[in-house]
Amino acid sequence: MADEIELIHGSEGLAVIGNPSAVERFLNSVGLLPFSRELPLDRLGSALDTGSKIAEAASNIAENAGRYVRLTKESAEQVKEFGLMPTKTKGISHAMLGDPGSISKWIQIEDGPASLLMNPAILSGAAGVMAQLARQQEAQELKQLLVAIDGKLDDVRRRQRDEVLAKMDRVSFVIEEAMAIREHGGDRETAWDKVKTEVGTIAEIQADALRALEALADKANDQSGVGALARATQDIEAEVGVWLAVLARCFQLQNEYAVLELDHVFDTAPASLDGHRIGLDAALQQRRSKIVLKTGHLMTRLDQAGGVARENVVLHARAARKVINSINTVSDSIDDFHMPFAIESDREALTSTRWRDAVRDPQQLRNAAAEAGPKVAVGVLGIGTLVVGAVLKNGDSKGSSGGDA
């Protein structure tokens, strides 16, 4: 066998460890090399307790290189074909692959003497480092999202967001300082001491932002009439960016806090690393579930409002279009917010009903007549031709019907 590599698969990512050239060739063969980043194998030694064969393990580590890839839904399916098997380390699967050179596809081989699984503590450490890299990458994607959101906010909304985030300035400063210490090889315990009491403030702001999204959902539900819905959905469109930005900042800081927390466990309680990593992952999934619940509830309410608008186009064509456009914009913003969390949307954008189609729809005409009463007369002239005469003093219906007909 020309080369061997080891695959270690966690909840969100894949580590590839082996000869540097073999690792690069494998990732390139499956199209993941551009999305990979270095896996710092030197960190794995800190996961060993005093009873381990440190010198032997250190030698094994020094001979290898590692790269990490945070997997998407599609790439996670792709790696299943390599026969990853569960290990004694909870949530971690493993495989050894070889490149025979004579065929184009990597094949599975039996664990060899160079396997990192010879030392379970090394595997546990690798899982811990992978968890840190996943949190760092998510934090980076959230920073990029914040830049994109900031570009869409007007000055008033930007000030509104900043007033909320001002409560987290202290937290932001100390976490940024601690991460800088870590990145420059400083003392990790000193970095941890700086941040360990700050997590409550992040959670408080995050809870406030989630309640704000709930209030926006209620706002969409409390309106009567398409004109009122148009004003409400436009307000929601303007507001939602503020609270998505606040949530993104909270999640970014929570990810960086988790990286520092895992450093602390690496250094002080390596035997507890697996349990701590799994607990952090469970907490992350709970926070993501809350996001999906709140944003999903908001979109459900907005889609219901969109349904009302689509059913009342005859008298409110222009307002109905505003409702649909605002709802689709909010949906796009939420989809962008979900992307760093690998949350995919199956929602289809709403489409507007044209006025000329609405006046040929008997239900639309009945809705218009029910709203306007005796002020609207609907008649049928000729075969299949519907004419609507409106004498309402309604600027929306008057202007829209002429523009859409």
Side-chain angles (χ1 to χ4, degrees), residues 112-129:
S115 172
L116 292 180
L117 285 182
M118 293 291 288
N119 194 314
I122 291 290
L123 182 60
S124 176
V129 174

Side-chain angles (χ1 to χ4, degrees), residues 48 77 90 92 104 205 219 288 376 387 392:
L48 298 168
E77 290 295 322
K90 189 174 180 181
I92 298 298
S104 60
I205 301 299
K219 187 172 187 176
R288 287 180 178 175
V376 171
V387 177
L392 287 173

Side-chain angles (χ1 to χ4, degrees), residues 149-313:
I149 292 176
D150 187 69
K152 297 176 182 178
L153 297 179
D154 59 33
D155 290 341
V156 173
R157 305 299 177 183
R158 200 173 288 117
R159 285 196 298 272
Q160 180 185 359
R161 175 205 59 193
D162 291 345
E163 286 173 4
V164 176
L165 291 179
K167 299 178 183 179
M168 281 205 307
D169 281 350
R170 184 191 70 251
V171 182
S172 301
F173 292 150
V174 296
I175 287 182
E176 287 169 2
E177 181 181 353
M179 291 298 290
I181 291 171
R182 179 183 190 272
E183 289 167 8
H184 289 84
D187 182 59
R188 294 200 295 264
E189 281 309 293
T190 301
W192 173 246
D193 286 340
K194 290 177 178 290
V195 304
K196 62 185 179 183
T197 61
E198 302 292 352
V199 69
T201 303
I202 304 174
E204 180 183 348
I205 301 299
Q206 187 176 58
D208 288 344
L210 290 172
R211 281 193 290 270
L213 288 181
E214 182 69 25
L216 292 181
D218 291 340
K219 187 172 187 176
N221 192 53
D222 290 343
Q223 306 303 318
S224 59
V226 179
L229 279 177
R231 291 187 292 273
T233 52
Q234 286 178 310
D235 288 345
I236 292 168
E237 178 186 348
E239 286 282 324
V240 74
V242 172
W243 298 110
L244 292 180
V246 171
L247 283 173
R249 183 64 166 152
C250 289
F251 276 101
Q252 176 217 324
L253 292 174
Q254 284 171 328
N255 275 299
E256 292 173 341
Y257 184 93
V259 171
L260 297 164
E261 187 173 342
L262 285 169
D263 273 345
H264 177 67
V265 178
F266 262 112
D267 295 336
T268 62
S272 301
L273 183 58
D274 283 336
H276 206 89
R277 169 181 57 81
I278 293 167
L280 284 176
D281 187 62
L284 171 67
Q285 296 305 324
Q286 289 175 354
R287 291 197 298 269
R288 287 180 178 175
S289 295
K290 288 179 181 177
I291 291 178
V292 173
L293 180 65
K294 296 298 184 183
T295 55
H297 182 54
L298 173 59
M299 286 312 306
T300 296
R301 292 287 180 84
L302 286 173
D303 283 340
Q304 290 171 349
V308 172
R310 283 165 53 89
E311 293 168 1
N312 292 275
V313 172

Side-chain angles (χ1 to χ4, degrees), residues 348-359:
E348 295 185 2
L350 297 180
T351 57
S352 300
T353 301
R354 297 187 304 175
W355 188 84
R356 64 170 61 94
D357 293 329
V359 297

